[in-house]
């Protein structure tokens, strides 16, 4: 065998020919150890973890790698600061640990430190500023507890008004008191991370089968359909993992997911001027909610994000309502010298967070806001024996897996 064909890169290749061959082998073939349904970050992570332990793995997705929530993120790897404010210390610590793992061990080529400025405008009271500063300091303590190096994530610090305007020239200078500088993790590309996980799993022997829809799950396998040919068949497995995100409840009874829509606007960077740092823009009337301004380094800037419940059938590709666009523009305009207009928005996208609904099924009040629902993940086993992984977030995909 030539060095090229035996290299890990060759084993990680996901080609049409490989898909066809491995799908034929899986249909009606020997029982595999693990069948994973869903190839977002969590499902690809499960496939990699199982394959790395020497288990035989088949992983399927009705569409493509990172088709759902995992491609619509803010591309941020959060350290768990927002969870400190809601006293979810375990979730905050878990996030900080996983951020450090991604930045220093798993994907240092994809995850880098991102600076953020919180401008201290007249809309931010001194008590709010003090609370935010305490939060950033607590976030740095989380970094220390997670054993993430200072060289990886610099310390937060206070900024003068001149320094703040230097990092964000588009800010309104009138009565600007300064700013607060903090740091978090930032992904080059969320879908690229998922693809890397899937290819690494494939190099370990996992069969990664896209455009294969699971029609029915049982504890011993799944009835599937090849979306390219229409052919149906069965894949048998000793363990079945439902990692289909916002669609998890469609495959397993008793799983109630409360999707939350997160919308981002896309602007051209020249509309906001040079942005060496991102922005935390406080949402008026909220104590711990911000709109993020995220420079992308390719001539675009993302502005997001919302946290709105989605009722009814879950769409394959969520649409962005004008109410979300207006909300984000209004919050952004509260700190800019020249507000961004609707015609300046060159694009928008929305993703759905798969939040676990743990309230009573017959709740008549609609339940809490999706922004207030815990981001803890859950691993649930149905009476039939199917394991479902739901909740959580991109940062903690490895822990969930």
């Amino acid at each position: 065998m030539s060095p090229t064909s035996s290299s890990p890169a060759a084993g990680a290749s996901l080609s049409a020919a490989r898909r066809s061959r491995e799908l034929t082998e899986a249909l009606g073939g020997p029982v595999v150890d693990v069948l994973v349904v869903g190839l977002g970050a969590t499902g690809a992570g499960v496939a990699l973890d199982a394959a790395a332990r020497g288990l035989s793995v088949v992983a399927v997705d009705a569409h493509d790698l990172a088709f759902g929530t995992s491609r619509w993120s803010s591309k941020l790897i959060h350290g768990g600061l927002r969870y400190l404010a809601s006293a979810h210390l375990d979730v905050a610590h878990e996030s900080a640990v996983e951020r450090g793992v991604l930045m220093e061990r798993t994907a240092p080529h994809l995850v880098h430190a991102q600076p953020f400025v919180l401008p201290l405008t007249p809309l931010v009271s001194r008590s709010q500023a003090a609370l935010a500063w305490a939060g950033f300091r607590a976030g740095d303590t989380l970094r220390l507890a997670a054993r993430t190096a200072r060289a990886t994530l610099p310390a937060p610090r206070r900024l003068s008004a001149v320094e703040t305007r230097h990092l964000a020239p588009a800010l309104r200078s009138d009565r600007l008191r300064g700013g607060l500088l903090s740091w978090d993790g930032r992904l080059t590309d969320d879908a690229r991370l998922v693809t890397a996980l899937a290819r690494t799993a494939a190099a370990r022997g996992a069969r990664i089968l896209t455009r294969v829809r699971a029609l029915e799950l049982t504890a011993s396998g799944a009835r599937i359909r090849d979306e390219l040919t229409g052919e149906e068949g069965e894949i048998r497995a000793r363990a079945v993992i439902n990692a289909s995100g916002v669609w998890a409840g469609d495959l397993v009874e008793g799983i109630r997911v409360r999707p939350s829509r997160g919308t981002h606007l896309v602007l051209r960077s020249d509309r906001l001027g040079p942005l060496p740092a991102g922005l935390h823009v406080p949402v008026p009337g909220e104590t711990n909610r911000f709109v993020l301004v995220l420079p992308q380094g390719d001539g675009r800037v993302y502005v997001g994000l919302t946290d709105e419940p989605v009722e009814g059938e879950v769409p394959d590709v969520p649409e962005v309502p004008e109410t979300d666009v207006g909300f984000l523009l209004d919050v952004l305009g509260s700190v800019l010298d020249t507000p961004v207009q609707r015609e300046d928005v060159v694009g928008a996208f929305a993703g759905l967070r798969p939040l676990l609904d743990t309230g009573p099924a017959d709740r008549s009040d609609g339940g809490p806001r999706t922004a207030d629902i815990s981001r803890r993940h859950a691993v649930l086993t149905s009476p039939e024996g199917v394991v479902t992984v739901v909740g959580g977030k991109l940062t903690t995909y490895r822990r969930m897996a």
Side-chain angles (χ1 to χ4, degrees):
M1 185 178 291
S2 69
T4 301
S5 62
S6 62
S7 68
S13 176
L14 297 176
S15 65
R18 179 174 180 172
R19 173 195 179 275
S20 178
R21 181 181 71 253
E22 294 187 341
L23 178 57
T24 299
E25 294 170 351
L27 284 173
V31 178
V32 298
D33 293 320
V34 180
L35 171 62
V36 183
V37 178
L39 280 167
T42 303
V46 172
L48 172 55
D49 189 276
R53 296 173 190 271
L55 301 175
S56 58
V57 178
V58 172
V60 303
D61 194 286
H63 297 284
D64 205 344
L65 302 176
F67 177 82
T69 307
S70 293
R71 67 168 164 156
W72 303 122
S73 76
S74 297
K75 297 178 176 58
L76 291 179
I77 301 299
H78 291 290
L81 182 59
R82 66 171 293 182
Y83 311 115
L84 281 180
S86 56
H88 292 154
L89 303 184
D90 55 340
V91 181
H93 181 260
E94 178 181 88
S95 297
V97 169
E98 293 304 315
R99 177 185 61 183
V101 169
L102 275 163
M103 298 187 75
E104 297 181 340
R105 290 166 47 198
T106 305
H109 61 303
L110 294 179
V111 187
H112 309 282
Q114 170 69 48
F116 284 97
V117 173
L118 194 166
L120 300 180
T121 69
L123 294 176
V124 180
S125 69
R126 295 191 180 276
S127 61
Q128 286 177 313
L131 183 63
W133 177 244
F136 292 145
R137 292 293 299 272
D140 194 50
T141 301
L142 273 179
R143 174 207 59 80
L144 179 63
R147 299 183 179 180
T148 304
R150 168 67 72 215
T152 301
L153 284 170
R157 68 182 182 92
R158 298 177 186 272
L159 301 172
S160 67
V162 172
E163 289 175 309
T164 302
R165 285 270 293 173
H166 175 73
L167 290 173
L171 288 174
R172 187 180 303 131
S173 59
D174 181 39
R175 294 190 292 161
L176 180 67
R177 306 195 304 274
L180 303 177
L181 179 67
S182 61
W183 298 78
D184 219 334
R186 187 268 189 80
L187 260 173
T188 302
D189 189 325
D190 41 12
R192 184 178 169 190
L193 174 65
V194 177
T195 302
L197 292 171
R199 292 189 64 191
T200 307
R204 296 277 190 167
R207 296 169 182 169
I208 305 297
L209 305 176
T210 57
R211 296 177 177 83
V212 174
R213 183 180 298 275
L215 302 173
E216 182 182 356
L217 300 185
T218 68
S220 59
R223 187 167 60 88
I224 62 93
R225 181 176 66 225
D226 182 350
E227 295 292 80
L228 298 183
T229 65
E231 178 187 0
E232 295 188 9
E234 183 180 356
I235 298 175
R236 296 183 296 160
R238 295 181 179 88
V240 177
I241 313 298
N242 175 19
S244 54
V246 289
W247 297 280
D250 296 341
L251 291 171
V252 177
E253 288 188 10
I255 301 296
R256 291 190 293 114
V257 176
R258 229 183 145 199
S260 166
R261 185 180 61 247
T263 294
H264 292 82
L265 308 182
V266 183
L267 310 175
R268 300 203 185 281
S269 57
D270 56 7
R271 186 62 190 80
L272 295 174
L275 278 174
L279 292 177
H280 282 132
V281 182
V283 176
E286 303 273 356
T287 58
N288 188 41
R289 191 178 173 199
F290 303 89
V291 164
L292 305 180
V293 178
L294 306 161
Q296 297 302 301
D298 61 356
R300 295 176 300 168
V301 177
Y302 294 162
V303 178
L305 69 169
T306 60
D307 202 331
E308 299 296 330
V310 174
E311 305 296 339
E313 186 175 349
V314 177
D316 282 348
V317 179
E319 294 184 358
V320 175
E322 282 299 317
T323 51
D324 284 9
V325 177
F327 167 78
L328 293 171
L329 288 179
D330 286 347
V331 175
L332 179 62
S334 69
V335 298
L336 296 183
D337 204 13
T338 303
V340 174
Q341 303 300 322
R342 180 63 179 87
E343 55 268 24
D344 297 318
V345 177
V346 297
F349 61 90
L352 300 180
R353 306 173 186 88
L355 304 180
L356 182 64
D357 191 348
T358 57
D362 59 350
R363 185 168 48 201
S364 59
D365 61 357
R369 298 185 311 168
T370 51
D372 298 327
I373 296 178
S374 172
R375 265 50 175 177
R376 283 189 179 94
H377 72 270
V379 179
L380 309 171
T381 303
S382 71
E384 294 76 24
V386 177
V387 177
T388 296
V389 188
V390 72
K393 51 201 173 297
L394 181 64
T395 303
T396 57
Y397 82 89
R398 189 186 71 102
R399 178 66 179 235
M400 296 168 67

